[in-house]
Amino acid sequence: MPSVAVKLYSVFFKFLLKQRLQNRIQSPPEESDPFGVSSRPDESVANANPSFSEGVATKDIHIDPFTSLSIRIFLPDSALSPPEPDSKPNPNPNLNKKPPPEPRSAKPETASHHRNDYTFHPLRRNSYGPSPVTRDDEEESSRRNSIGEGLNTYKGYSPALDNRRKKLPVMLQFHGGGWVSGSNDSVANDYFCRRIAKLCDVIVVAVGYRLAPENRYPAAFEDGMKVLNWLAKQANLAECSKSTMVVRKSDGNNRHIVDTFGASVVEPWLAAHGNPSRCVLLGVSCGANIADYVARKAVEAGKLLDPVKVVAQVLMYPFFMGSAPTRSEIKLANSYFYDKAMCMLAWKLFLPEEEFSLDHPAANPLVPGRGPPLKLMPPTMTVVAELDWMRDRAIAYSEELRKVNVDAPVLEYKDAVHEFATLDILLKTPQAQVCAEDIAIWVKKYISLRGHEFSY
């Protein structure tokens, strides 16, 4: 059984959330706001820290000027390690030469600095002061200025856009909250994403999609796909930026064109450290519905998303429903945190009135004609909790994927409740750390450059 603290917090959580949902349903309908909101005023938010804190640097980016869609990037300090050895020969032998070591007295070590991450490396930039300037530094500064990230103005980690950086897979993360609450920069989501970034050794991009009822279906789903397309655009812009650097050096007359093209468009962390050809989707509760939708659209898009390739997805206690109740929906209808009555209110706020149905394609993953064929779906891990009423329908979806030979394991955690792993900063359940480690073991099968040396 869950601990007394989990039970008490569940009662308090359900009382507040149900009151908010009922107030929004009873309030007069408002006109749809295309810009929308991605966070509620009563949400506890963790500030971004771009200079690495506890092994992870974070930054917030508003990527769509027409909506509230935003992202938070979680960059683990493992990205500062030397790049992994590549079997292909390096066309530029000068990149294999080690830079001269910086004098040990150039930057004092303090208790708050990570020695291996920040100190004694002339190619790393952080908010603790500049290193002695060299000719290479001037060229790197010129590149950073072309994307609007100068050392004197940006108080955070600013990598150089070259091939001397370790490339990490990219994981798109979609938070939970029943469509109407939660945010990508909440304290709980920030804590969870930091843990996943370090354990999986990936760049986590947490998506701040638009919430209901200000923006009903399909706004949140479209936002998820917008971020995937933005990621593909970023990868292509980074490649173009590197190509135009050669033009800049060979032909000074094209300098203005290059500077204009590169200004304020390339995201430096993703350009320097992201490998979008190894992209993983991770969705939490209703975010799992978004992740599954994005995975299906990625399959349909195919090479149109190049170089982005979705290699796997993780669905954590997905928010699936259906008109025919399952055994867990009957037995656990009044379960912890999100009971069935409360979730019905959330779906009524999310789906347009004329489209409301428990067998809506957004709610039921097994309705006919949902497309594409399940056999084309990427490997899918499903995480379920023993005391969650949504458990059985998530397991049924996973069983259908396995029938068509998709790698689709199910991890069920005993005595666990809905959101047990993603609310760990509040619940402190022993299963949360184990769940994150299990996800890392499985995900690394599909993101490892050296092949499937990991097994589950």
Side-chain angles (χ1 to χ4, degrees), residues 14 59 75 78 92 94 114 129 149 156 174 206 229 326 349 397:
K14 289 168 69 173
K59 70 159 67 170
L75 179 69
S78 59
N92 188 352
N94 293 328
H114 297 280
E149 298 277 31
F174 304 93
N229 283 312
T326 65
L349 287 170
Y397 181 47

Side-chain angles (χ1 to χ4, degrees), residues 43-49 58 60 72 185-188 190-191 194:
E43 189 78 54
S44 298
V45 174
N47 293 327
N49 187 347
T58 59
D60 295 328
R72 170 165 288 188
D185 56 0
S186 69
V187 173
D190 184 87
Y191 184 85
R194 286 174 176 273

Side-chain angles (χ1 to χ4, degrees), residues 391-403:
R391 179 192 65 198
D392 285 358
R393 200 171 299 276
I395 294 175
Y397 181 47
S398 182
E399 289 174 349
E400 293 300 316
L401 290 172
R402 289 196 297 275
K403 288 179 182 179

Side-chain angles (χ1 to χ4, degrees), residues 77-382:
D77 56 10
S78 59
L80 304 180
S81 305
E84 297 179 3
D86 195 344
S87 58
K88 297 180 181 180
N90 194 334
N92 188 352
N94 293 328
L95 293 182
N96 292 327
K97 295 181 180 180
K98 295 183 178 180
E102 185 176 347
R104 300 180 72 88
S105 61
K107 191 185 296 283
E109 182 179 354
T110 65
S112 62
H113 295 179
H114 297 280
R115 183 184 185 117
N116 294 332
D117 299 338
Y118 300 108
T119 317
F120 314 133
H121 200 303
L123 297 179
R124 292 174 188 161
R125 294 292 177 263
N126 53 67
S127 60
Y128 299 104
S131 304
V133 178
T134 64
R135 180 174 299 178
D136 290 339
D137 291 335
E138 292 177 355
E139 293 180 359
E140 292 171 10
S141 178
S142 177
R143 298 178 197 179
R144 283 190 297 274
N145 288 335
S146 71
I147 57 175
E149 298 277 31
L151 280 178
N152 296 328
T153 58
Y154 181 65
K155 301 301 182 182
Y157 172 64
S158 297
L161 299 181
D162 54 34
N163 293 323
R164 289 172 284 183
R165 299 293 175 176
K166 183 178 179 181
K167 296 286 187 176
L168 298 179
V170 178
M171 176 182 286
L172 296 190
Q173 189 263 357
F174 304 93
H175 66 83
W179 307 116
V180 298
S181 62
S183 68
N184 64 330
D185 56 0
S186 69
V187 173
N189 199 67
D190 184 87
Y191 184 85
F192 171 73
C193 289
R194 286 174 176 273
R195 171 179 282 176
I196 289 295
K198 289 188 286 188
L199 286 176
C200 295
D201 198 20
V202 296
I203 299 175
V204 175
V205 177
V207 180
Y209 55 86
R210 287 171 291 172
L211 301 177
E214 291 85 353
N215 293 97
R216 296 175 180 259
Y217 172 87
F221 289 78
E222 292 174 345
D223 287 351
M225 200 59 201
K226 279 182 183 178
V227 175
L228 194 66
N229 283 312
W230 178 85
L231 186 63
K233 179 180 178 181
Q234 283 293 315
N236 288 312
L237 286 173
E239 288 299 317
C240 291
S241 179
K242 288 193 290 187
S243 300
T244 50
M245 291 304 166
V246 178
V247 177
R248 169 183 287 182
K249 292 181 179 180
S250 61
D251 186 0
N253 294 330
N254 290 328
R255 182 181 182 89
H256 174 72
I257 298 175
V258 174
D259 286 344
T260 303
F261 175 79
S264 302
V265 291
V266 179
E267 196 334 273
W269 289 9
L270 293 176
H273 298 295
N275 182 355
S277 66
R278 295 180 290 155
C279 181
V280 179
L281 308 177
L282 186 149
V284 178
S285 190
C286 64
N289 297 46
I290 301 175
D292 191 63
Y293 170 87
V294 173
R296 290 188 285 114
K297 290 300 180 182
V299 169
E300 294 175 353
K303 293 185 177 180
L304 294 177
L305 284 173
D306 282 350
V308 172
K309 180 175 177 58
V310 176
V311 297
Q313 67 170 338
V314 180
L315 307 181
M316 302 184 68
Y317 18 84
F319 200 38
F320 294 149
M321 295 191 74
S323 58
T326 65
R327 183 178 178 181
S328 65
E329 290 175 359
I330 297 173
K331 184 179 179 181
L332 301 171
N334 194 32
S335 58
Y336 299 94
F337 289 94
Y338 291 91
D339 58 38
K340 190 171 181 179
M342 188 185 304
C343 291
M344 290 291 291
L345 294 177
W347 278 107
K348 288 180 180 179
L349 287 170
F350 177 65
L351 293 175
E353 293 183 10
E354 64 276 10
E355 296 183 32
F356 180 78
S357 169
L358 295 183
D359 287 326
H360 191 282
N364 191 340
L366 297 177
V367 293
R370 195 165 180 255
L374 291 181
K375 65 181 180 180
L376 301 179
M377 291 293 286
T380 302
M381 168 184 275
T382 303

Side-chain angles (χ1 to χ4, degrees), residues 426-447:
L426 300 173
L427 304 182
K428 300 297 182 183
T429 57
Q431 302 98 323
Q433 176 70 22
V434 175
C435 177
E437 292 172 354
D438 290 342
I439 290 173
I441 291 172
W442 184 80
V443 162
K444 286 180 180 179
K445 292 200 305 181
Y446 297 99
I447 62 176

